[in-house]
Amino acid sequence: MTRGARTIVLIVAMLGAWVEVAVARPPYDAPAEAPARPAGQDRFDYDDPAAYRALEAEILRETNLFRRDPRGYAKKLLALRPSYQGRRIVRGPTEPVILTIEGVAALDEAIEVLRSAPRRLPRLARSQGLERAARAHADDLARSGLLGHSGSDGSSPAARVSRIGSWDGLVAENISFGPTDAEEIVIGLIVDDGVPDRGHRDVLLTHELFFAGVACGPHPTYKITCVMDYATTFRANPRARTR
């Protein structure tokens, strides 16, 4: 199996999304601004912490771009269709080839789903608490080399979020491995190639999610991983520890 972006759709498909439900209560932590990636940065610098922080902000912005107009976002997926060659996505001589499981069938299904999706979904506000929970798992994946939602200590996403504060309604998690482009990450989650229940897409289309935290970091096998945690409401405990 090849590494990095060449296998991202396959790797995302192997994970499955994670969602848990709880009884709702209203408190949550306030959103905060995040820095953008410096203009003119064409290649990702895996040794620069600022590059990871900028990608995190871009993923949240791209996710909100999708949620602002899911039906209109289908145009981005449609533009990818000519790049499919069997089970491979070939976008150009300088771009990595992406191996898929289902080929163009998964893309076509996603396009049809978006065409009948809600016209608009609530914007996800950045939550520093959820970001801390996501970063704890990203750091754990970097140390352990694991690929899933379970931590090396056996923790679930809900358990990690609960270490940081209190959440209610829904809490969910998506993870990507390999890509360093926010649009590629979000589209990969929407297409959800190889995932029978399309759980990643369902998370992104969930109306009841209002807050999100994104954390990206190095991974020993796929070079980079990005963990995305979401919740209906969340209130951080300023004294909380992640472990």
Side-chain angles (χ1 to χ4, degrees):
M1 181 180 294
T2 55
R3 295 188 177 189
R6 292 180 183 274
T7 59
I8 181 58
V9 178
L10 176 61
I11 295 305
V12 169
M14 290 169 60
L15 292 175
W18 193 98
V19 182
E20 185 161 316
V21 183
V23 177
R25 292 191 298 270
Y28 54 82
D29 63 335
E33 294 300 320
R37 183 182 296 191
Q41 181 172 321
D42 297 324
R43 296 191 177 278
F44 194 84
D45 185 349
Y46 295 95
D47 297 321
D48 183 5
Y52 293 96
R53 305 295 84 78
L55 178 58
E56 293 161 3
E58 290 172 2
I59 291 172
L60 184 56
R61 279 196 294 271
E62 188 70 21
T63 302
N64 278 322
L65 180 65
F66 164 69
R67 287 172 65 90
R68 186 172 63 194
D69 183 11
R71 297 186 185 186
Y73 201 89
K75 295 178 182 178
K76 288 195 176 188
L77 277 64
L78 191 60
L80 283 175
R81 205 176 191 286
S83 300
Y84 276 75
Q85 298 180 12
R87 294 176 56 232
R88 301 187 306 160
I89 302 174
V90 183
R91 294 171 296 179
T94 62
E95 295 291 328
V97 174
I98 299 176
L99 176 66
T100 74
I101 295 175
E102 301 174 63
V104 75
L107 180 76
D108 288 343
E109 179 197 305
I111 291 169
E112 289 305 310
V113 169
L114 296 191
R115 284 173 172 169
S116 59
R119 294 186 181 277
R120 191 179 184 93
L121 293 165
R123 177 182 176 276
L124 296 172
R126 180 190 174 207
S127 162
Q128 293 177 306
L130 291 175
E131 192 174 284
R132 287 180 62 195
R135 194 168 310 287
H137 192 46
D139 290 346
D140 188 25
L141 294 175
R143 291 189 298 267
S144 66
L146 294 173
L147 296 177
H149 295 283
S150 295
S152 60
D153 61 354
S155 61
S156 68
R160 292 189 292 271
V161 170
S162 296
R163 290 170 181 168
I164 305 300
S166 58
W167 62 272
D168 294 294
L170 299 175
V171 67
E173 182 174 89
N174 282 336
I175 308 176
S176 74
F177 292 85
T180 59
D181 179 81
E183 182 179 283
E184 183 178 347
I185 290 171
V186 172
I187 289 177
L189 296 171
I190 294 168
V191 175
D192 228 359
D193 175 77
V195 181
D197 66 0
R198 310 301 193 204
H200 303 96
R201 181 198 304 156
D202 287 347
V203 167
L204 295 185
L205 285 169
T206 298
H207 184 280
E208 293 80 11
L209 297 174
F210 301 100
F211 296 89
V214 183
C216 298
H219 190 270
T221 303
Y222 296 100
K223 297 186 70 174
I224 184 171
T225 181
C226 291
V227 179
M228 294 147 269
D229 284 345
Y230 317 86
T232 303
T233 66
F234 181 78
R235 180 172 61 188
N237 177 357
R239 299 180 179 179
R241 296 184 178 181
T242 55
R243 303 290 293 183

